[in-house]
Amino acid sequence: KTHAALNSVNGYQFTNLKNSLGVIYIVRDPRKVLLSYANHTQMNLDHSLKEISKISVWGGKINYQDRIQDTLDTHAGSWKSNYNSWKEFKKYDKYLLVKYEDLISDPEKTFLTILNFIHKISKAKLILDNLKLKNVFKTTSFKYLQKLENEGNFFEAPKTSDNKYIKFFKYGQKNTGKDIPTNIKRELEKGFASEMKELG
């Protein structure tokens, strides 16, 4: 699992078919990404738009209360360049595009598509354990994850300047992307127009 784009850094490719069996790319409506990113970083929407629109490198300095030391840079790119970069695996029929919104609206169907893809590229037979499958949906639901966060802080949640945790599981399905001011929404939709049309 990575936030990285499929880039080359100093002549070294992030990954290839020698190192990765395939790609499951989860894409989310950039309007929803904008709101979540603004909450996560505590930036205003204007600044968040600039961040997801530019080629960016994350990490190298983050320390999650000494539980995880992030010492590696993540060459994330922009929302647009990240999405486009991973299509390289399409040429080899080793690419599955999953819309985040489909995971929300029809988790079972989407998850089974993912499982079938994994079994296809790994040339393994798919054997479903219905009890495990039910447990997956229960323990990964937004409500359940929010409950866990409320019981004890989710360690990846960032902190405010006065050392209080910012909700990591905040919006869920309430994040419709409709709360964005018109000027920012227009700029976002203009910048990502062809990808948004392609994704429907």
Side-chain angles (χ1 to χ4, degrees):
K1 179 255 175 197
T2 184
H3 284 292
L6 185 60
N7 290 337
S8 289
V9 180
N10 300 326
Y12 294 95
Q13 201 174 12
F14 177 75
T15 193
N16 54 38
L17 284 170
K18 289 179 186 172
N19 301 303
S20 295
L21 193 57
V23 172
I24 299 166
Y25 191 86
I26 301 176
V27 67
R28 190 177 189 189
D29 184 326
R31 292 165 293 201
K32 296 175 184 179
V33 170
L34 180 71
L35 287 175
S36 285
Y37 189 68
N39 173 64
H40 185 71
T41 58
Q42 293 295 283
M43 293 177 185
N44 64 40
L45 291 176
D46 203 35
H47 194 144
S48 292
L49 177 59
K50 287 182 178 75
E51 287 298 305
I52 70 167
S53 299
K54 71 179 187 182
I55 302 297
S56 57
V57 179
W58 305 339
K61 298 171 188 169
I62 302 167
N63 184 331
Y64 292 116
Q65 294 76 52
D66 296 315
R67 285 186 266 178
I68 283 186
Q69 182 66 49
D70 177 7
T71 55
L72 296 174
D73 290 339
T74 300
H75 293 259
S78 64
W79 178 89
K80 176 178 179 166
S81 68
N82 192 300
Y83 165 67
N84 285 319
S85 71
W86 285 102
K87 292 180 195 172
E88 179 70 18
F89 275 71
K90 268 180 157 179
K91 295 177 191 171
Y92 313 101
D93 199 24
K94 303 272 186 172
Y95 174 88
L96 177 67
L97 177 70
V98 175
K99 292 183 189 175
Y100 175 87
E101 291 75 18
D102 291 341
L103 276 170
I104 301 301
S105 65
D106 197 345
E108 193 161 336
K109 181 183 174 190
T110 309
F111 192 65
L112 287 172
T113 300
I114 292 168
L115 287 178
N116 280 311
F117 173 76
I118 291 168
H119 285 81
K120 182 187 95 174
I121 63 172
S122 62
K123 297 181 172 78
K125 187 178 176 189
L126 175 59
I127 300 164
L128 280 179
D129 180 325
N130 286 320
L131 195 62
K132 278 187 179 178
L133 196 61
K134 280 180 186 171
N135 193 50
V136 165
F137 295 124
K138 179 190 162 200
T139 58
T140 58
S141 73
F142 187 83
K143 206 172 187 176
Y144 185 83
L145 293 169
Q146 205 170 39
K147 178 179 170 279
L148 287 181
E149 184 177 17
N150 290 337
E151 288 170 358
N153 289 314
F154 183 67
F155 76 92
E156 283 192 42
K159 286 184 172 181
T160 60
S161 54
D162 56 351
N163 222 25
K164 289 181 180 163
Y165 278 98
I166 298 160
K167 277 266 183 220
F168 192 87
F169 297 102
K170 181 179 178 181
Y171 292 115
Q173 286 172 281
K174 292 176 189 167
N175 179 353
T176 60
K178 289 178 181 171
D179 300 335
I180 303 169
T182 308
N183 62 321
I184 293 175
K185 190 176 176 187
R186 199 176 289 130
E187 193 179 334
L188 181 147
E189 290 172 351
K190 184 181 174 189
F192 301 146
S194 75
E195 289 74 20
M196 289 176 78
K197 282 176 188 166
E198 184 182 311
L199 289 161

